[in-house]
Amino acid sequence: MYDVAVVGGGPAGLTAAIYSVRANRKVLVLEAAACGGQIINTTEIENYPATPKITGLEFGQTLQKQAEDLGVEIEFETVEKIIDKGDYKLVKTEDDQYRAKVVILACGTEPRTLSLDNESKFTGRGVSYCATCDGSFYKSRTVAVNGGGNTALQEALYLADMAGKVYLIHRRDEFRGNQALVQKLKKKDNVEFVLSANVVALNGDRKLESITISQNGETKELKVDALFVAIGRIPKAKGLVDGLKLDEYGFVDAGENCATNIPGIFVAGDVRKKEIRQLVTATSDGAIAATEALNFDRK
């Protein structure tokens, strides 16, 4: 029996684990892929207090080591279901099951797709959802980024330093992301803004060769070697816990105390309904969720 089981090994989940283990609790983190979460795809973190000029990968690795050094157990398994047994929660994975007095959901989000024909076929063959993961394959080549938020802007900046040409495609006539990032992109000679446009088709045989866009009522084809999709994220909490209250978009409906509508289940990070999703708010959630979970455990 664990005192605390944390679902997700991103900044929110690992922070929750660190706070819990330092309170002398037996803590388990269940992570489906790699510790660090979405932040490991960030090339450089500049806005986290006292941690200037660190890569997302370095941040994630350091956070994982800190948690493990303090005694947090980490298992790389996908959680499929969490069952409320009253005095404890049964956490089922694809390979095993674990019991915990309280559970903290920090399962994050996954990329939103374009839902176009050939998208799954070309994923890994020209279609990507992570520039820092796959950008190096397209050095000196022509690529496109689809999106208008901070993630899309950061992806475009990263790619601009290695690709020959970067199209930045956004469905609106202005970007909703940080304007400082927009200004940096405007200074890049190899970046072209394609505004008021949507990607409507992915073309090619065995790999992506071009995309078709619709812009101001007209369609045209852009020859590209890769398309990086950055149009948002989908929360991964749906179906995990029966009766868990979600908002209309699938985010866990919980307030600033990170307590869900199910006693003994808490939430932290991007999967929680909130206004701002940043690294600093994820770690804040982790600390709050752990504190609330430990207080619940004492009852």
Side-chain angles (χ1 to χ4, degrees), residues 186-238:
K186 286 182 176 180
K187 296 177 182 178
K188 299 286 186 179
D189 293 335
N190 62 337
V191 175
E192 180 178 336
F193 293 171
V194 184
L195 300 178
S196 302
N198 291 293
V199 179
V200 295
L202 307 173
N203 314 308
D205 185 12
R206 290 184 296 176
K207 64 179 182 179
L208 183 70
E209 297 172 3
S210 69
I211 58 176
T212 302
I213 64 168
S214 175
Q215 185 179 36
N216 300 320
E218 298 182 358
T219 60
K220 64 179 178 179
E221 186 178 359
L222 297 177
K223 297 286 186 180
V224 297
D225 297 295
L227 171 66
F228 293 87
V229 181
I231 56 173
R233 313 283 299 185
I234 300 172
K236 297 193 288 186
K238 186 176 181 180

Side-chain angles (χ1 to χ4, degrees), residues 107-297:
C107 42
T109 60
E110 61 187 0
R112 188 179 301 279
T113 67
L114 293 167
S115 300
L116 293 175
D117 291 342
N118 290 330
E119 188 167 2
S120 59
K121 174 185 175 181
F122 291 147
T123 297
R125 296 178 175 85
V127 172
S128 174
Y129 305 90
C130 173
T132 53
C133 304
D134 301 325
S136 61
F137 296 119
Y138 302 99
K139 290 180 179 178
S140 302
R141 300 170 79 177
T142 300
V143 302
V145 176
N146 188 197
N150 284 338
T151 299
L153 299 177
Q154 288 169 343
E155 300 256 282
L157 273 172
Y158 175 76
L159 291 165
D161 289 335
M162 65 179 67
K165 172 81 173 182
V166 180
Y167 293 106
L168 180 53
I169 304 165
H170 182 39
R171 61 192 177 92
R172 294 177 178 156
D173 60 0
E174 60 182 25
F175 297 102
R176 66 182 185 277
N178 189 300
Q179 289 305 301
L181 296 175
V182 175
Q183 293 306 313
K184 286 183 180 180
L185 283 165
K186 286 182 176 180
K187 296 177 182 178
K188 299 286 186 179
D189 293 335
N190 62 337
V191 175
E192 180 178 336
F193 293 171
V194 184
L195 300 178
S196 302
N198 291 293
V199 179
V200 295
L202 307 173
N203 314 308
D205 185 12
R206 290 184 296 176
K207 64 179 182 179
L208 183 70
E209 297 172 3
S210 69
I211 58 176
T212 302
I213 64 168
S214 175
Q215 185 179 36
N216 300 320
E218 298 182 358
T219 60
K220 64 179 178 179
E221 186 178 359
L222 297 177
K223 297 286 186 180
V224 297
D225 297 295
L227 171 66
F228 293 87
V229 181
I231 56 173
R233 313 283 299 185
I234 300 172
K236 297 193 288 186
K238 186 176 181 180
L240 273 184
V241 188
D242 290 341
L244 183 67
K245 186 178 179 183
L246 307 177
D247 72 2
E248 60 184 313
Y249 303 106
F251 292 93
V252 180
D253 195 346
E256 293 299 320
N257 67 350
C258 296
T260 74
N261 62 305
I262 299 177
I265 296 183
F266 301 83
V267 63
D270 285 359
V271 75
R272 182 173 76 85
K273 176 185 178 181
K274 56 182 181 177
E275 293 297 321
I276 300 174
R277 292 182 174 85
Q278 292 286 315
L279 175 58
V280 70
T281 63
T283 56
S284 173
D285 272 7
I288 294 168
T291 302
E292 294 292 328
L294 295 173
N295 287 336
F296 180 87
D297 183 29

